[in-house]
PDB file of all heavy atoms in Angstrom:
ATOM      1  N   LEU N  65       5.096 -41.477 -10.983  1.00 97.00           N
ATOM      2  CA  LEU N  65       3.962 -40.453 -10.653  1.00 97.00           C
ATOM      3  C   LEU N  65       4.772 -39.377 -10.087  1.00 97.00           C
ATOM      4  O   LEU N  65       5.789 -39.529  -9.300  1.00 97.00           O
ATOM      5  CB  LEU N  65       2.903 -41.029  -9.653  1.00 97.00           C
ATOM      6  CG  LEU N  65       2.148 -42.264 -10.136  1.00 97.00           C
ATOM      7  CD1 LEU N  65       1.215 -42.598  -8.873  1.00 97.00           C
ATOM      8  CD2 LEU N  65       1.381 -41.997 -11.385  1.00 97.00           C
ATOM      9  N   THR N  66       4.428 -38.199 -10.484  1.00 97.00           N
ATOM     10  CA  THR N  66       4.910 -36.883  -9.787  1.00 97.00           C
ATOM     11  C   THR N  66       4.057 -36.738  -8.556  1.00 97.00           C
ATOM     12  O   THR N  66       2.970 -37.098  -8.480  1.00 97.00           O
ATOM     13  CB  THR N  66       4.899 -35.788 -10.677  1.00 97.00           C
ATOM     14  OG1 THR N  66       3.563 -35.486 -11.175  1.00 97.00           O
ATOM     15  CG2 THR N  66       5.723 -35.894 -11.912  1.00 97.00           C
ATOM     16  N   TYR N  67       4.663 -35.975  -7.636  1.00 97.00           N
ATOM     17  CA  TYR N  67       4.003 -35.594  -6.352  1.00 97.00           C
ATOM     18  C   TYR N  67       4.313 -34.321  -5.830  1.00 97.00           C
ATOM     19  O   TYR N  67       5.451 -33.825  -6.223  1.00 97.00           O
ATOM     20  CB  TYR N  67       4.251 -36.729  -5.326  1.00 97.00           C
ATOM     21  CG  TYR N  67       5.636 -36.922  -4.769  1.00 97.00           C
ATOM     22  CD1 TYR N  67       6.022 -36.039  -3.593  1.00 97.00           C
ATOM     23  CD2 TYR N  67       6.575 -37.800  -5.264  1.00 97.00           C
ATOM     24  CE1 TYR N  67       7.273 -36.186  -3.038  1.00 97.00           C
ATOM     25  CE2 TYR N  67       7.826 -37.794  -4.761  1.00 97.00           C
ATOM     26  CZ  TYR N  67       8.138 -37.113  -3.615  1.00 97.00           C
ATOM     27  OH  TYR N  67       9.350 -37.189  -3.154  1.00 97.00           O
ATOM     28  N   ALA N  68       3.493 -33.829  -4.978  1.00 97.00           N
ATOM     29  CA  ALA N  68       3.791 -32.713  -4.049  1.00 97.00           C
ATOM     30  C   ALA N  68       3.792 -33.209  -2.682  1.00 97.00           C
ATOM     31  O   ALA N  68       2.903 -33.941  -2.280  1.00 97.00           O
ATOM     32  CB  ALA N  68       2.669 -31.504  -4.262  1.00 97.00           C
ATOM     33  N   SER N  69       4.830 -32.719  -2.035  1.00 97.00           N
ATOM     34  CA  SER N  69       5.112 -33.489  -0.694  1.00 97.00           C
ATOM     35  C   SER N  69       3.993 -32.912   0.467  1.00 97.00           C
ATOM     36  O   SER N  69       3.359 -31.849   0.042  1.00 97.00           O
ATOM     37  CB  SER N  69       6.410 -33.079  -0.079  1.00 97.00           C
ATOM     38  OG  SER N  69       6.471 -31.692   0.138  1.00 97.00           O
ATOM     39  N   ASP N  70       3.790 -33.583   1.453  1.00 97.00           N
ATOM     40  CA  ASP N  70       2.901 -33.046   2.495  1.00 97.00           C
ATOM     41  C   ASP N  70       3.335 -31.690   2.979  1.00 97.00           C
ATOM     42  O   ASP N  70       2.615 -30.948   3.265  1.00 97.00           O
ATOM     43  CB  ASP N  70       2.687 -34.044   3.621  1.00 97.00           C
ATOM     44  CG  ASP N  70       4.123 -34.339   4.213  1.00 97.00           C
ATOM     45  OD1 ASP N  70       5.243 -34.318   3.636  1.00 97.00           O
ATOM     46  OD2 ASP N  70       4.136 -34.791   5.431  1.00 97.00           O
ATOM     47  N   LYS N  71       4.674 -31.500   2.909  1.00 96.00           N
ATOM     48  CA  LYS N  71       5.181 -30.122   3.438  1.00 96.00           C
ATOM     49  C   LYS N  71       4.721 -28.989   2.641  1.00 96.00           C
ATOM     50  O   LYS N  71       4.290 -27.972   2.970  1.00 96.00           O
ATOM     51  CB  LYS N  71       6.721 -30.194   3.426  1.00 96.00           C
ATOM     52  CG  LYS N  71       7.303 -31.388   4.114  1.00 96.00           C
ATOM     53  CD  LYS N  71       6.962 -31.554   5.735  1.00 96.00           C
ATOM     54  CE  LYS N  71       7.783 -32.486   6.482  1.00 96.00           C
ATOM     55  NZ  LYS N  71       7.532 -33.778   5.832  1.00 96.00           N
ATOM     56  N   ALA N  72       4.759 -29.353   1.099  1.00 96.00           N
ATOM     57  CA  ALA N  72       4.271 -28.338   0.164  1.00 96.00           C
ATOM     58  C   ALA N  72       2.821 -28.048   0.374  1.00 96.00           C
ATOM     59  O   ALA N  72       2.349 -26.981   0.373  1.00 96.00           O
ATOM     60  CB  ALA N  72       4.673 -28.761  -1.284  1.00 96.00           C
ATOM     61  N   LEU N  73       2.070 -29.007   0.509  1.00 97.00           N
ATOM     62  CA  LEU N  73       0.519 -28.970   0.594  1.00 97.00           C
ATOM     63  C   LEU N  73       0.198 -28.193   1.898  1.00 97.00           C
ATOM     64  O   LEU N  73      -0.569 -27.246   1.885  1.00 97.00           O
ATOM     65  CB  LEU N  73       0.022 -30.407   0.712  1.00 97.00           C
ATOM     66  CG  LEU N  73      -1.566 -30.487   0.973  1.00 97.00           C
ATOM     67  CD1 LEU N  73      -2.290 -29.724  -0.025  1.00 97.00           C
ATOM     68  CD2 LEU N  73      -1.945 -31.980   0.986  1.00 97.00           C
ATOM     69  N   LYS N  74       0.841 -28.537   3.018  1.00 97.00           N
ATOM     70  CA  LYS N  74       0.542 -27.761   4.271  1.00 97.00           C
ATOM     71  C   LYS N  74       0.983 -26.364   4.283  1.00 97.00           C
ATOM     72  O   LYS N  74       0.303 -25.462   4.828  1.00 97.00           O
ATOM     73  CB  LYS N  74       1.331 -28.495   5.414  1.00 97.00           C
ATOM     74  CG  LYS N  74       0.594 -29.735   5.916  1.00 97.00           C
ATOM     75  CD  LYS N  74       1.361 -30.525   6.923  1.00 97.00           C
ATOM     76  CE  LYS N  74       0.756 -31.738   7.251  1.00 97.00           C
ATOM     77  NZ  LYS N  74       1.497 -32.517   8.333  1.00 97.00           N
ATOM     78  N   TYR N  75       2.142 -26.092   3.545  1.00 96.00           N
ATOM     79  CA  TYR N  75       2.602 -24.689   3.368  1.00 96.00           C
ATOM     80  C   TYR N  75       1.577 -23.915   2.640  1.00 96.00           C
ATOM     81  O   TYR N  75       1.065 -22.759   3.026  1.00 96.00           O
ATOM     82  CB  TYR N  75       3.872 -24.642   2.392  1.00 96.00           C
ATOM     83  CG  TYR N  75       4.230 -23.156   2.072  1.00 96.00           C
ATOM     84  CD1 TYR N  75       4.944 -22.460   2.831  1.00 96.00           C
ATOM     85  CD2 TYR N  75       3.867 -22.831   0.795  1.00 96.00           C
ATOM     86  CE1 TYR N  75       5.230 -21.123   2.485  1.00 96.00           C
ATOM     87  CE2 TYR N  75       4.140 -21.542   0.268  1.00 96.00           C
ATOM     88  CZ  TYR N  75       4.837 -20.636   1.306  1.00 96.00           C
ATOM     89  OH  TYR N  75       5.242 -19.411   0.807  1.00 96.00           O
ATOM     90  N   GLU N  76       0.849 -24.573   1.540  1.00 97.00           N
ATOM     91  CA  GLU N  76      -0.275 -23.765   0.831  1.00 97.00           C
ATOM     92  C   GLU N  76      -1.524 -23.570   1.796  1.00 97.00           C
ATOM     93  O   GLU N  76      -2.142 -22.566   1.734  1.00 97.00           O
ATOM     94  CB  GLU N  76      -0.527 -24.380  -0.465  1.00 97.00           C
ATOM     95  CG  GLU N  76       0.596 -24.455  -1.393  1.00 97.00           C
ATOM     96  CD  GLU N  76       1.146 -23.159  -1.931  1.00 97.00           C
ATOM     97  OE1 GLU N  76       0.357 -22.134  -1.567  1.00 97.00           O
ATOM     98  OE2 GLU N  76       2.149 -23.050  -2.560  1.00 97.00           O
ATOM     99  N   ILE N  77      -1.828 -24.646   2.549  1.00 98.00           N
ATOM    100  CA  ILE N  77      -2.950 -24.464   3.465  1.00 98.00           C
ATOM    101  C   ILE N  77      -2.772 -23.295   4.400  1.00 98.00           C
ATOM    102  O   ILE N  77      -3.558 -22.498   4.669  1.00 98.00           O
ATOM    103  CB  ILE N  77      -3.228 -25.776   4.141  1.00 98.00           C
ATOM    104  CG1 ILE N  77      -3.607 -26.812   3.087  1.00 98.00           C
ATOM    105  CG2 ILE N  77      -4.338 -25.606   5.169  1.00 98.00           C
ATOM    106  CD1 ILE N  77      -3.783 -28.268   3.720  1.00 98.00           C
ATOM    107  N   ARG N  78      -1.502 -23.316   5.068  1.00 97.00           N
ATOM    108  CA  ARG N  78      -1.229 -22.243   6.074  1.00 97.00           C
ATOM    109  C   ARG N  78      -1.218 -20.863   5.313  1.00 97.00           C
ATOM    110  O   ARG N  78      -1.683 -19.878   5.987  1.00 97.00           O
ATOM    111  CB  ARG N  78       0.198 -22.512   6.581  1.00 97.00           C
ATOM    112  CG  ARG N  78       0.108 -23.726   7.563  1.00 97.00           C
ATOM    113  CD  ARG N  78       1.331 -23.837   8.386  1.00 97.00           C
ATOM    114  NE  ARG N  78       2.614 -23.914   7.691  1.00 97.00           N
ATOM    115  CZ  ARG N  78       3.219 -24.868   7.298  1.00 97.00           C
ATOM    116  NH1 ARG N  78       2.751 -26.033   7.686  1.00 97.00           N
ATOM    117  NH2 ARG N  78       4.416 -24.960   6.554  1.00 97.00           N
ATOM    118  N   ARG N  79      -0.629 -20.912   4.091  1.00 96.00           N
ATOM    119  CA  ARG N  79      -0.573 -19.459   3.453  1.00 96.00           C
ATOM    120  C   ARG N  79      -2.104 -19.037   3.200  1.00 96.00           C
ATOM    121  O   ARG N  79      -2.343 -17.870   3.376  1.00 96.00           O
ATOM    122  CB  ARG N  79       0.119 -19.677   1.986  1.00 96.00           C
ATOM    123  CG  ARG N  79       0.072 -18.411   1.241  1.00 96.00           C
ATOM    124  CD  ARG N  79       0.827 -18.586  -0.165  1.00 96.00           C
ATOM    125  NE  ARG N  79       0.169 -19.447  -1.040  1.00 96.00           N
ATOM    126  CZ  ARG N  79      -0.792 -19.262  -1.771  1.00 96.00           C
ATOM    127  NH1 ARG N  79      -1.336 -17.975  -1.803  1.00 96.00           N
ATOM    128  NH2 ARG N  79      -1.399 -20.125  -2.603  1.00 96.00           N
ATOM    129  N   HIS N  80      -2.959 -19.947   2.617  1.00 97.00           N
ATOM    130  CA  HIS N  80      -4.341 -19.504   2.541  1.00 97.00           C
ATOM    131  C   HIS N  80      -5.007 -19.036   3.773  1.00 97.00           C
ATOM    132  O   HIS N  80      -5.819 -18.096   3.887  1.00 97.00           O
ATOM    133  CB  HIS N  80      -5.130 -20.546   1.871  1.00 97.00           C
ATOM    134  CG  HIS N  80      -5.048 -20.631   0.268  1.00 97.00           C
ATOM    135  ND1 HIS N  80      -5.949 -20.151  -0.610  1.00 97.00           N
ATOM    136  CD2 HIS N  80      -4.028 -21.202  -0.373  1.00 97.00           C
ATOM    137  CE1 HIS N  80      -5.524 -20.423  -1.724  1.00 97.00           C
ATOM    138  NE2 HIS N  80      -4.321 -21.003  -1.742  1.00 97.00           N
ATOM    139  N   GLY N  81      -4.673 -19.844   4.940  1.00 97.00           N
ATOM    140  CA  GLY N  81      -5.248 -19.559   6.183  1.00 97.00           C
ATOM    141  C   GLY N  81      -4.860 -18.192   6.687  1.00 97.00           C
ATOM    142  O   GLY N  81      -5.643 -17.304   7.243  1.00 97.00           O
ATOM    143  N   ARG N  82      -3.600 -17.799   6.484  1.00 96.00           N
ATOM    144  CA  ARG N  82      -3.097 -16.494   6.761  1.00 96.00           C
ATOM    145  C   ARG N  82      -3.802 -15.360   5.944  1.00 96.00           C
ATOM    146  O   ARG N  82      -4.202 -14.377   6.480  1.00 96.00           O
ATOM    147  CB  ARG N  82      -1.620 -16.428   6.658  1.00 96.00           C
ATOM    148  CG  ARG N  82      -0.967 -15.045   7.074  1.00 96.00           C
ATOM    149  CD  ARG N  82       0.444 -15.110   6.752  1.00 96.00           C
ATOM    150  NE  ARG N  82       0.674 -15.210   5.329  1.00 96.00           N
ATOM    151  CZ  ARG N  82       1.673 -15.693   4.817  1.00 96.00           C
ATOM    152  NH1 ARG N  82       2.730 -16.221   5.526  1.00 96.00           N
ATOM    153  NH2 ARG N  82       1.760 -15.837   3.409  1.00 96.00           N
ATOM    154  N   GLU N  83      -3.765 -15.625   4.656  1.00 96.00           N
ATOM    155  CA  GLU N  83      -4.307 -14.486   3.752  1.00 96.00           C
ATOM    156  C   GLU N  83      -5.748 -14.327   3.802  1.00 96.00           C
ATOM    157  O   GLU N  83      -6.307 -13.290   3.724  1.00 96.00           O
ATOM    158  CB  GLU N  83      -3.862 -14.862   2.308  1.00 96.00           C
ATOM    159  CG  GLU N  83      -2.261 -14.783   2.049  1.00 96.00           C
ATOM    160  CD  GLU N  83      -1.890 -15.199   0.708  1.00 96.00           C
ATOM    161  OE1 GLU N  83      -2.706 -15.590  -0.060  1.00 96.00           O
ATOM    162  OE2 GLU N  83      -0.589 -15.207   0.362  1.00 96.00           O
ATOM    163  N   ARG N  84      -6.451 -15.469   3.944  1.00 96.00           N
ATOM    164  CA  ARG N  84      -7.914 -15.284   3.836  1.00 96.00           C
ATOM    165  C   ARG N  84      -8.619 -14.981   5.306  1.00 96.00           C
ATOM    166  O   ARG N  84      -9.566 -14.380   5.438  1.00 96.00           O
ATOM    167  CB  ARG N  84      -8.446 -16.517   3.364  1.00 96.00           C
ATOM    168  CG  ARG N  84      -8.106 -16.763   1.863  1.00 96.00           C
ATOM    169  CD  ARG N  84      -8.791 -17.997   1.206  1.00 96.00           C
ATOM    170  NE  ARG N  84     -10.263 -17.918   1.422  1.00 96.00           N
ATOM    171  CZ  ARG N  84     -11.105 -18.986   1.171  1.00 96.00           C
ATOM    172  NH1 ARG N  84     -10.635 -20.086   0.841  1.00 96.00           N
ATOM    173  NH2 ARG N  84     -12.428 -18.719   1.351  1.00 96.00           N
ATOM    174  N   PHE N  85      -7.928 -15.723   6.305  1.00 97.00           N
ATOM    175  CA  PHE N  85      -8.597 -15.612   7.653  1.00 97.00           C
ATOM    176  C   PHE N  85      -7.772 -15.075   8.744  1.00 97.00           C
ATOM    177  O   PHE N  85      -8.226 -15.149   9.893  1.00 97.00           O
ATOM    178  CB  PHE N  85      -9.005 -17.127   8.056  1.00 97.00           C
ATOM    179  CG  PHE N  85      -9.947 -17.704   7.072  1.00 97.00           C
ATOM    180  CD1 PHE N  85      -9.512 -18.857   6.346  1.00 97.00           C
ATOM    181  CD2 PHE N  85     -11.376 -17.261   6.907  1.00 97.00           C
ATOM    182  CE1 PHE N  85     -10.392 -19.357   5.355  1.00 97.00           C
ATOM    183  CE2 PHE N  85     -12.164 -17.852   5.993  1.00 97.00           C
ATOM    184  CZ  PHE N  85     -11.753 -18.936   5.276  1.00 97.00           C
ATOM    185  N   GLY N  86      -6.621 -14.604   8.422  1.00 95.00           N
ATOM    186  CA  GLY N  86      -5.792 -13.856   9.449  1.00 95.00           C
ATOM    187  C   GLY N  86      -5.137 -15.000  10.325  1.00 95.00           C
ATOM    188  O   GLY N  86      -4.759 -14.507  11.502  1.00 95.00           O
TER     189      GLY N  86
END
Side-chain angles (χ1 to χ4, degrees):
L65 302 180
T66 59
Y67 69 86
S69 71
D70 58 335
K71 311 296 186 300
L73 177 55
K74 288 178 181 177
Y75 171 84
E76 296 298 347
I77 293 173
R78 294 194 298 265
R79 177 179 66 82
H80 277 259
R82 180 188 62 211
E83 293 177 357
R84 295 184 57 191
F85 302 110

